[in-house]
Amino acid sequence: MAEIRVSRLEQGQTKFKTVPIAVTPEGFWCCPSPTVFHKTIKTQQNPILSKPKSSLPTQTTLVEKKQTPVTTEKKPSSNSTSSRTDSLTPEQRTHSSDEPVVNPPLTNEKQPRSKPENAPPRKVSIEFGEAKTSDLKVILLGKQGLAVKLSVHRSVLVENSDFFARKISGQQPIFPCLEIDNCEDVEIYVETIGLMYCKELKQRLIKQSVSRVLRILKAGEQLGFTRCVQSCLEYLEAVPWVGEDEEDKVVSLVSHLEGEGIKVKPVLKRVSPDISSNPPNDTFSHILELVLKSKDEKARREMKSIVLKLLRENNNNNNLPSTSSTSSDSCSETIYSSCRISLDSLLSFFRQADQEVEKIKLLEKPIALEADNLLWLLDILLDRQAADEFAVIWVSQQELASIHKKLPVVSRRHISVITARLFVGIGRGEILPNKETRYLLIKIWLEALIEDYRWLQHGCGPFDRKVVEEGIGRTILTLPLEDQRSVLISWLGSFLRAGDDCPNLRGAFEVWWRRTFVRPFVLALTPLSCEKTCTTDILKLGKLQKLPKLRLNYKNSPTYS
């Protein structure tokens, strides 16, 4: 809180300009208009812009923190005035200070002008209140030379403000003047003191902005104006907050409020859930269930996109509580539980399609829906870096893979999209399954992916062929060299038969070739015998009579990990 001092308002000390204000039935000003406040400040800070009302010179002095003796020589006329003022009692002298300062009559003698460099800084002075009915003066000294005098009532301030009650209770003068130095927000202090005269504070705050109410709340808390603080909290609890910045300001200020009778929980409940009644994991599980079981395709896709985006933001913010190990594990368990439910439904649809061929067309839509759900859950796990177990679950679906071969491509192609996404994840290092899992993924699902590849390019929405092929190639190159050879030799036969309808793994093939023939690290076989063995296997493919000579440029070829 700013420093407060008790002083007397002497005549001629400062000239205040009275500003038109709204007056309450009690005869006191209340809540001056911010427009009038700023307009007055601007006018007084730029006197050139305001038109002079008379030719008489104006007399402007300063509100000084301490009285300084006047050392300049005065004329007899001023001495006589001073002697009359000194003869007054303190009470009369204070009363006389409430009257407007009258400019001295114009004389023939010219007053000496002080040099600009010696002139004290100008202070903007404004007066609020009804001086005739008040019994207390409060002067607020703000930054940039702003001084505001308030003519107030002692009883009102003592009744509403703990701060003023403490400062006024020990002062005996009938007409004291309280001076508050270094006010950070003079305008809001003026309005807050004015609100002490209002019975319905909430009605006065309705048309205010959230930022301004926060300023009033801060001033009310510093002045110990509990009724104002509570009204501001009621306003903030009811009014919408616009944007995260405004929300952060409200929460930051409200959460630090202290005092008896101040209820901040209704405001903070907007951003702080009741964990005891609604655990976050149960809420997240319920959201997943609603999205996965949605019947409207457009709404389902939109909510999947929104939830995935929000989870990514949550994962990127390491300061959020939900990123703790316990919460993260609980969330992953919820996702895997949904994965198993979708897999069971998918396998059930495949069994029905295998047993009753006439129902295949009817089952295409539910199969596509469950496959899309699994793909969405896999994307969530990949973002959370927790998809290793999904790869293990997927390679264990041997029954699903066996039935997959029997169904028409139009019904089964969505399953291969999941396989392709796993290959991309492994190729990018987003998934780190063990060697056995990677090998089984290729052994069980790569052939099915190759058979569906033509449909994936033209019938499964957005499909980035280059990314998928790079992911498959990199996954193959993580296997031991002998496994790479068997997989790539098998792929070469499919590629030579299908062409563009087969994944083009040329980059992986070139890397394997160099590892085998150009710069082998393990010399279990001589280069000549190794080359002879591999060439024999390649020449057996199809009706190949002669393998075209490969001109390999190691530096310009794709890089694989």
Side-chain angles (χ1 to χ4, degrees):
M1 185 63 193
E3 180 185 358
I4 187 168
R5 296 186 293 106
V6 179
S7 63
R8 292 186 179 279
L9 190 65
E10 301 294 345
Q11 182 177 3
Q13 183 179 6
T14 303
K15 178 182 178 180
F16 290 92
K17 178 182 178 181
T18 303
V19 178
I21 52 177
V23 181
T24 65
E26 295 86 354
F28 185 74
W29 63 275
C30 184
C31 298
S33 170
T35 305
V36 175
F37 193 94
H38 292 294
K39 183 177 180 181
T40 304
I41 295 175
K42 183 176 179 181
T43 303
Q44 294 196 39
Q45 287 180 338
N46 301 278
I48 299 177
L49 301 178
S50 59
K51 297 181 180 180
K53 295 183 179 180
S54 64
S55 60
L56 295 179
T58 58
Q59 178 180 354
T60 305
T61 57
L62 303 176
V63 177
E64 300 291 347
K65 294 182 181 180
K66 295 182 180 180
Q67 297 295 333
T68 55
V70 181
T71 57
T72 56
E73 184 180 355
K74 297 183 178 180
K75 295 184 180 297
S77 60
S78 61
N79 287 336
S80 60
T81 304
S82 177
S83 61
R84 289 195 301 270
T85 303
D86 294 337
S87 62
L88 297 175
T89 64
E91 179 180 348
Q92 293 172 334
R93 186 186 301 119
T94 308
H95 271 295
S96 64
S97 64
D98 297 336
E99 301 299 329
V101 178
V102 180
N103 294 321
L106 184 63
T107 59
N108 295 329
E109 297 182 8
K110 295 183 179 179
Q111 297 291 337
R113 296 182 179 178
S114 59
K115 296 181 180 180
E117 58 272 10
N118 296 330
R122 177 183 178 85
K123 283 196 174 182
V124 180
S125 304
I126 312 173
E127 180 177 1
F128 291 107
E130 293 291 336
K132 296 180 180 180
T133 62
S134 65
D135 58 0
L136 178 66
K137 310 296 179 186
V138 176
I139 295 182
L140 305 175
L141 300 179
K143 298 179 180 180
Q144 300 178 352
L146 177 63
V148 178
K149 182 177 74 173
L150 307 177
S151 299
V152 295
H153 299 80
R154 178 201 302 252
S155 60
V156 176
L157 267 61
V158 171
E159 179 183 357
N160 291 277
S161 170
D162 295 339
F163 175 80
F164 283 117
R166 291 193 305 268
K167 298 300 180 181
I168 296 175
S169 60
Q171 305 301 330
Q172 296 301 326
I174 300 176
F175 296 101
C177 177
L178 300 181
E179 188 176 293
I180 303 179
D181 297 336
N182 300 324
C183 290
E184 296 181 358
D185 202 341
V186 175
E187 176 189 350
I188 297 301
Y189 268 67
V190 172
E191 182 166 354
T192 305
I193 295 175
L195 288 173
M196 295 180 185
Y197 286 79
C198 298
K199 294 181 179 180
E200 297 294 335
L201 295 183
K202 191 174 180 180
Q203 299 299 323
R204 293 283 182 176
L205 299 176
I206 287 179
K207 294 184 179 181
Q208 303 285 0
S209 64
V210 172
S211 59
R212 189 171 183 87
V213 171
L214 287 175
R215 292 163 63 191
I216 296 173
L217 174 62
K218 184 176 180 180
E221 193 264 339
Q222 291 176 345
L223 292 175
F225 189 5
T226 306
R227 192 162 58 93
C228 176
V229 171
Q230 195 58 49
S231 296
C232 290
L233 291 175
E234 293 175 2
Y235 167 89
L236 294 173
E237 190 275 333
V239 74
W241 305 337
V242 180
E244 292 184 359
D245 292 340
E246 190 167 271
E247 178 178 312
D248 292 341
K249 291 178 181 178
V250 173
V251 174
S252 177
L253 181 57
V254 171
S255 59
H256 291 87
L257 288 179
E258 297 179 358
E260 298 181 359
I262 299 178
K263 301 177 181 179
V264 299
K265 287 186 178 180
V267 180
L268 296 180
K269 277 187 177 181
R270 190 183 290 190
V271 295
S272 180
D274 187 359
I275 299 178
S276 60
S277 60
N278 294 305
N281 190 49
D282 291 349
T283 303
F284 178 66
S285 176
H286 186 55
I287 292 174
L288 285 182
E289 183 181 0
L290 290 175
V291 174
L292 293 174
K293 293 183 178 180
S294 173
K295 301 299 181 181
D296 188 275
E297 182 178 357
K298 182 179 179 182
R300 182 177 63 252
R301 291 189 178 278
E302 182 176 355
M303 288 310 303
K304 282 182 177 181
S305 176
I306 292 174
V307 172
L308 183 60
K309 182 191 72 170
L310 294 175
L311 288 173
R312 284 174 177 171
E313 292 177 357
N314 191 29
N315 294 335
N316 294 333
N317 192 341
N318 296 326
N319 296 324
L320 293 177
S322 59
T323 57
S324 62
S325 58
T326 304
S327 178
S328 180
D329 294 342
S330 178
C331 182
S332 298
E333 290 176 3
T334 302
I335 298 172
Y336 274 113
S337 177
S338 299
C339 288
R340 292 184 180 91
I341 294 174
S342 293
L343 272 172
D344 291 342
S345 299
L346 190 62
L347 182 58
S348 175
F349 293 143
F350 265 57
R351 288 170 178 170
Q352 293 181 37
D354 184 32
Q355 296 173 1
E356 303 178 22
V357 181
E358 63 277 5
K359 289 186 177 181
I360 292 180
K361 291 186 178 181
L362 298 177
L363 293 173
E364 286 180 4
K365 188 173 182 179
I367 289 175
L369 173 60
E370 293 300 338
D372 186 71
N373 289 341
L374 282 170
L375 186 63
W376 178 58
L377 294 171
L378 175 58
D379 285 335
I380 295 176
L381 292 170
L382 287 170
D383 287 332
R384 300 180 64 85
Q385 301 177 358
D388 292 357
E389 187 178 346
F390 188 96
V392 176
I393 295 174
W394 191 246
V395 299
S396 67
Q397 303 299 314
Q398 296 183 4
E399 182 181 0
L400 187 67
S402 62
I403 301 177
H404 178 275
K405 300 177 182 179
K406 303 176 183 179
L407 300 184
V409 179
V410 67
S411 303
R412 74 190 189 194
R413 66 185 190 277
H414 301 283
I415 307 302
S416 295
V417 177
I418 301 174
T419 304
R421 185 66 183 92
L422 283 171
F423 279 127
V424 173
I426 295 174
R428 291 175 174 175
E430 298 172 337
I431 313 175
L432 300 176
N434 56 34
K435 179 181 66 177
E436 289 75 14
T437 301
R438 298 194 305 271
Y439 179 74
L440 287 174
L441 180 64
I442 294 173
K443 181 180 179 181
I444 297 174
W445 288 109
L446 180 58
E447 183 180 354
L449 174 62
I450 293 175
E451 292 177 357
D452 298 345
Y453 202 71
R454 178 173 175 271
W455 279 86
L456 295 181
Q457 297 180 75
H458 306 291
C460 281
F463 184 81
D464 195 331
R465 173 172 182 165
K466 182 178 180 181
V467 173
V468 173
E469 292 171 353
E470 188 175 86
I472 297 172
R474 288 184 174 184
T475 303
I476 294 173
L477 293 175
T478 63
L479 301 176
L481 194 60
E482 286 300 314
D483 293 333
Q484 296 177 35
R485 183 188 71 82
S486 61
V487 172
L488 288 172
I489 294 298
S490 175
W491 160 80
L492 183 58
S494 300
F495 180 70
L496 292 174
R497 289 193 302 270
D500 288 341
D501 292 338
C502 176
N504 190 338
L505 306 181
R506 175 193 170 191
F509 184 82
E510 291 180 0
V511 173
W512 165 77
W513 182 281
R514 278 190 293 273
R515 288 176 176 177
T516 303
F517 303 122
V518 179
R519 52 187 190 93
F521 290 96
V522 180
L523 300 178
L525 298 173
T526 62
L528 182 60
S529 61
C530 180
E531 180 178 356
K532 182 178 179 181
T533 303
C534 294
T535 305
T536 303
D537 291 339
I538 294 173
L539 290 175
K540 289 180 181 180
L541 297 172
K543 296 182 179 181
L544 276 178
Q545 298 298 329
K546 184 178 180 181
L547 184 67
K549 186 176 181 180
L550 297 177
R551 297 181 180 274
L552 302 177
N553 187 347
Y554 178 71
K555 295 183 179 179
N556 296 331
S557 62
T559 303
Y560 290 84
S561 58

